Amino acid sequence: MQWLSLLLSFSALAGTVSAVQDNNGKTIVQIVYDYDPNRVAAAVAGSLYLLCSVCLFARAISNRARWALFLPIGSMNIGIGFLIRIVLPNNPDSSMLFVSQQLLILLSPAAFLAFNYFVYGQLATNCLDPSYSQIQLCEVATWFIISLNFLISMVQTFGGVLQIFKSVSTDKVGVTIVLVGLAIEAAPFALFFLLCLHVYMHIRAAGISLSSETWGPIVQALLFSSALIMLRYIYRIVEYAQGSGGYLMTHELWLYLLDTLPLFIGVIVYIPFWPPKYIVVKTDLPMSNL
């Protein structure tokens, strides 16, 4: 992915930069987190995400769905981020390790957004009558939205890198940049989630039983996954709005309860309900009257 190469470049740069010492001798981890990351929790999370990515890669390869690679790649990157987090307590002042794990965990969900955008586009194109959706996400529009998300992710990368400089003022600037990036990324996805609800309501109003349609489980999986991703973005926005030293950022439990777990559930739902398997030829549906 484009942002991954940028992340690695920033990480390499961060490893060579000498931080400003106005922090009373505190390490990067102490300044940003104020706790030592739990190695066991990081190992479990990293292993589960990597296992999930293996299953999703197998699914994508079996169906030869290149557009679906966003999901396993995103899951793999988060898994790597958590594995890096395991060694962070032993290297609390390593800017390269801190930036790598922070941004892999923070930015990889952009790939999940991209995947859900594509799932909706495939549904609207191949399974639904145009009257069910006021907005048709054609391939060009989908790629535009995804490119915008990656551009925003690059901005968040810059903000995340600023956090490694042990300066209170620089850290605040970095947090603000990440917060703005998260808000801009979450806003269109919130509208997308409402669009999915709109389509779902129209299908139900037409008296169509999703259980009787081949593509029915994917509509439900898309709504379920998008709701969990939206929950994660709300958590992240509140976390960064509180800033470094805030309650959410300094209590690791919430990272796993409101970020790691919701995202994981929102991803694994696609293992049994793999969209390319269910999204087939267009079904003849009655026109929506709503």
Side-chain angles (χ1 to χ4, degrees):
M1 289 184 177
Q2 294 175 336
W3 63 264
L4 182 56
S5 61
L6 183 66
L7 182 154
L8 295 175
S9 298
F10 270 126
S11 297
L13 175 63
T16 64
V17 175
S18 178
V20 179
Q21 299 294 326
D22 60 350
N23 60 338
N24 296 321
K26 290 185 177 181
T27 65
I28 297 172
V29 171
Q30 289 174 327
I31 292 173
V32 179
Y33 293 154
D34 197 29
Y35 64 78
D36 287 330
N38 188 298
R39 293 184 178 89
V40 175
V44 171
S47 299
L48 287 176
Y49 269 103
L50 288 179
L51 178 60
C52 178
S53 71
V54 171
C55 296
L56 293 170
F57 270 121
R59 282 291 207 177
I61 293 172
S62 65
N63 290 100
R64 298 180 180 179
R66 289 182 296 177
W67 62 268
L69 289 174
F70 283 107
L71 201 60
I73 291 175
S75 181
M76 179 185 66
N77 287 338
I78 290 185
I80 294 173
F82 276 110
L83 294 185
I84 295 175
R85 193 177 174 91
I86 295 174
V87 300
L88 197 59
N90 292 334
N91 304 273
D93 224 16
S94 171
S95 55
M96 184 171 68
L97 287 177
F98 180 84
V99 169
S100 297
Q101 63 86 32
Q102 180 83 334
L103 297 183
L104 281 169
I105 295 172
L106 180 66
L107 302 184
S108 294
F112 304 156
L113 271 65
F115 181 81
N116 279 6
Y117 289 145
F118 262 108
V119 170
Y120 176 83
Q122 293 290 316
L123 273 170
T125 302
N126 298 307
C127 302
L128 301 177
D129 187 275
S131 62
Y132 282 84
S133 176
Q134 300 301 317
I135 301 176
Q136 298 294 314
L137 283 183
C138 67
E139 185 174 353
V140 174
T142 302
W143 277 111
F144 173 77
I145 294 172
I146 292 171
S147 299
L148 179 61
N149 276 336
F150 284 134
L151 178 62
I152 295 170
S153 295
M154 292 180 186
V155 174
Q156 289 176 272
T157 300
F158 178 68
V161 169
L162 289 180
Q163 287 187 278
I164 70 170
F165 293 92
K166 303 176 190 178
S167 165
V168 175
S169 59
T170 305
D171 176 65
K172 287 183 178 179
V173 172
V175 168
T176 301
I177 291 175
V178 173
L179 175 61
V180 171
L182 284 169
I184 295 175
E185 195 171 53
F189 189 75
L191 294 176
F192 168 78
F193 179 59
L194 293 176
L195 174 64
C196 292
L197 284 175
H198 167 84
V199 173
Y200 175 75
M201 292 172 60
H202 276 211
I203 293 174
R204 291 294 300 270
I208 297 169
S209 174
L210 291 177
S211 60
S212 65
E213 298 290 344
T214 304
W215 45 265
I218 301 306
V219 175
Q220 297 169 321
L222 178 61
L223 276 173
F224 181 68
S225 174
S226 297
L228 291 172
I229 293 174
M230 198 67 239
L231 172 63
R232 179 265 181 184
Y233 270 93
I234 293 172
Y235 157 71
R236 282 296 192 178
I237 289 172
V238 174
E239 177 192 34
Y240 275 85
Q242 292 179 349
S244 293
Y247 180 80
L248 291 178
M249 195 173 291
T250 57
H251 289 77
E252 189 177 23
L253 174 65
W254 299 110
L255 168 68
Y256 290 101
L257 288 182
L258 296 178
D259 182 287
T260 310
L261 183 60
L263 283 178
F264 182 70
I265 297 174
V267 170
I268 63 172
V269 69
Y270 286 121
I271 294 178
F273 301 109
W274 185 240
K277 178 182 176 181
Y278 288 86
I279 299 175
V280 288
V281 295
K282 186 183 289 288
T283 305
D284 291 330
L285 294 176
M287 295 287 289
S288 172
N289 295 320
L290 299 183

